[in-house]
Amino acid sequence: MLYLACMTIPCGTIIMRWLSYLFAPLAFATFGYAVVGPGTVTGNTAVHDPTICKDSSGKYFVFSTAVGIEIRTSTDRIAWTLVGKVWPNGASWTDQYTGTSNGNLWAPDCTYLNGQFYLYYAASSFGSQNSAIFFAKSSTGLPGSWTNEGLVTSTSSSNNYNAIDPNLLIDNGKWLLSLGSFWTGIKSMTLSSSTGKPSSTTVTSLAQRTANGGAIEASVVFKNGNFYYLFSSWDNCCQGTSSTYNIRVGRSSSPTGGFVDQSGVALTSGGGTLVLGTHDSIVGPGGQDLLLDNDGPILVYHYYTPSGSFLGINRLDFSSGWPVVV
C-alpha cells in the first residue's frame, strides 16, 4: 500500500500522514483531549445550555435555555422526561432585558444544597450588554414551586463585561458567582450566602480572549482535589451544524484567579486547554455544567446535529491532574 501510494504522492508526505494517525491518540491523551461520544441518554433530550443537579432522593434535574426555562428529570441520568417550566406563566421582570414579552431565558445554573434548589439564570438578547442575572429558589425543583428572588446583577453598554451565563461555586461556605460573555471575558463576584446576591461591588477577572472577537463564555468553576478548574465555551454558538463551540479548561489553586492552561498560558491571556470539540457527528459541544456524582465528576453540555441541539453527558477523569472525557 505504501509503495503504491508513493507512486502518486511523495513518500515523505505519506509517511508523515501515517505517523500522524499513529500518534494522534497519544497527542489527545497528552493534552487532555479525548474524542469520545456522549453517553447514552434517552427520552426528551432536545436541550440548550443544560445545567444539572441532584436532589436528596437521587432524582436528577436538568434545566435549560427556553422561554420560562425548561425542566427535565431522570432517576438514572439516562432517561429524561420534560416536566414543565420554572416560570410557566412567564417572567415579566426579565422583559426589559430580553427586549420582548416572555422571551428566552438563558443558561440557567442549578445548585442543590440542604433541601433547597438555587437557580441563577440570565436575560438578554444576542450581542447586547443590556443583560441581567436573576435568582430563584425551590424546595422541589418542579414547575410551580419556584419563588422569584429578583435581580442579582446587570450590565449595560457602560460596562466592559456582560452579565450572562452565571455559575455558582460554594466553597467552604463562601459563595462565588462566575459570569460573562465576550467583551473582557469571564468575571467573578462574591455573593452573600444568606441573600444569594452580591456582598460587594468588586468584580474580578478570571479569563479573557482576543481571538475570534473575544469569544469566551459559559464559565464553570469546579473544585477537584487541590485545584479549581475553570471550564468555558470558546468560539461560536447557536448556529446549528455551523457552530464552532468547544469546551476549554484551565486550573488554579484559587477560585478567584491565577488560572493557567496545561501549557502554562494564563487564561487571562487567552489560554485554554481543549477538553471537547467537534468530532464525528457531534458538532459544537458547549454550554457546559459539572456535577460531582457517585461515580465521579459528570460533564453535561449541548451539541448540534442536523435535527437540533441535544444533551450530552460524559464522565470526566481527573487522574492526570487535567480533565479527560471518558
Side-chain angles (χ1 to χ4, degrees):
M1 289 287 292
L2 184 59
Y3 171 78
L4 290 175
C6 286
M7 295 176 65
T8 56
I9 303 175
C11 278
T13 301
I14 292 294
I15 292 171
M16 288 303 294
R17 287 181 182 173
W18 179 78
L19 288 173
S20 69
Y21 298 147
L22 177 64
F23 289 107
L26 179 59
F28 289 139
T30 300
F31 292 102
Y33 174 52
V35 179
V36 175
T40 301
V41 292
T42 63
N44 192 312
T45 63
V47 306
H48 205 274
D49 302 323
T51 181
I52 187 169
C53 51
K54 183 181 180 181
D55 71 10
S56 56
S57 73
K59 180 184 288 185
Y60 297 91
F61 289 73
V62 160
F63 301 85
S64 58
T65 292
V67 172
I69 307 175
E70 290 181 341
I71 309 170
R72 290 168 174 80
T73 63
S74 173
T75 58
D76 59 6
R77 217 174 64 204
I78 295 174
W80 293 92
T81 301
L82 177 64
V83 297
K85 297 182 177 183
V86 170
W87 307 121
N89 299 317
S92 58
W93 55 91
T94 66
D95 290 353
Q96 71 181 94
Y97 299 99
T98 62
T100 186
S101 176
N102 202 22
N104 268 334
L105 300 178
W106 292 355
D109 175 70
C110 175
T111 300
Y112 183 81
L113 179 67
N114 298 328
Q116 190 83 38
F117 288 85
Y118 300 92
L119 193 73
Y120 289 85
Y121 60 96
S124 188
S125 58
F126 282 107
S128 172
Q129 282 178 283
N130 180 38
S131 308
I133 292 170
F134 294 89
F135 176 39
K137 293 195 297 187
S138 167
S139 59
T140 67
L142 296 173
S145 69
W146 292 88
T147 59
N148 173 23
E149 300 293 327
L151 180 71
V152 175
T153 189
S154 63
T155 53
S156 68
S157 58
S158 65
N159 296 102
N160 66 357
Y161 65 99
N162 196 22
I164 69 167
D165 292 0
N167 178 258
L168 176 65
L169 170 70
I170 301 177
D171 182 44
N172 295 320
K174 186 175 183 179
W175 285 37
L176 296 168
L177 189 75
S178 64
L179 65 153
S181 173
F182 287 72
W183 282 275
T184 58
I186 306 302
K187 308 298 182 182
S188 176
M189 58 180 60
T190 302
L191 304 182
S192 164
S193 60
S194 59
T195 66
K197 297 181 181 181
S199 57
S200 78
T201 58
T202 301
V203 177
T204 304
S205 292
L206 301 183
Q208 183 177 359
R209 295 181 73 204
T210 56
N212 193 17
I216 183 172
E217 56 192 10
S219 63
V220 180
V221 180
F222 180 78
K223 188 176 184 181
N224 187 81
N226 295 323
F227 289 104
Y228 298 86
Y229 294 81
L230 173 57
F231 292 78
S232 60
S233 294
W234 280 20
D235 298 329
N236 301 110
C237 170
C238 314
Q239 299 175 15
T241 54
S242 296
S243 298
T244 56
Y245 242 18
N246 58 95
I247 301 171
R248 302 275 174 156
V249 73
R251 74 182 188 186
S252 173
S253 58
S254 167
T256 57
F259 291 95
V260 298
D261 67 14
Q262 199 165 357
S263 298
V265 179
L267 266 59
T268 50
S269 298
T273 296
L274 184 63
V275 176
L276 187 64
T278 294
H279 63 92
D280 305 316
S281 61
I282 307 304
V283 176
Q288 67 286 327
D289 189 26
L290 280 86
L291 168 73
L292 182 59
D293 208 352
N294 297 335
D295 55 343
I298 303 301
L299 176 72
V300 300
Y301 54 95
H302 71 249
Y303 65 92
Y304 296 95
T305 75
S307 300
S309 176
F310 295 95
L311 177 66
I313 300 181
N314 291 87
R315 291 188 299 110
L316 287 178
D317 178 5
F318 281 84
S319 60
S320 69
W322 292 91
V324 177
V325 177
V326 293

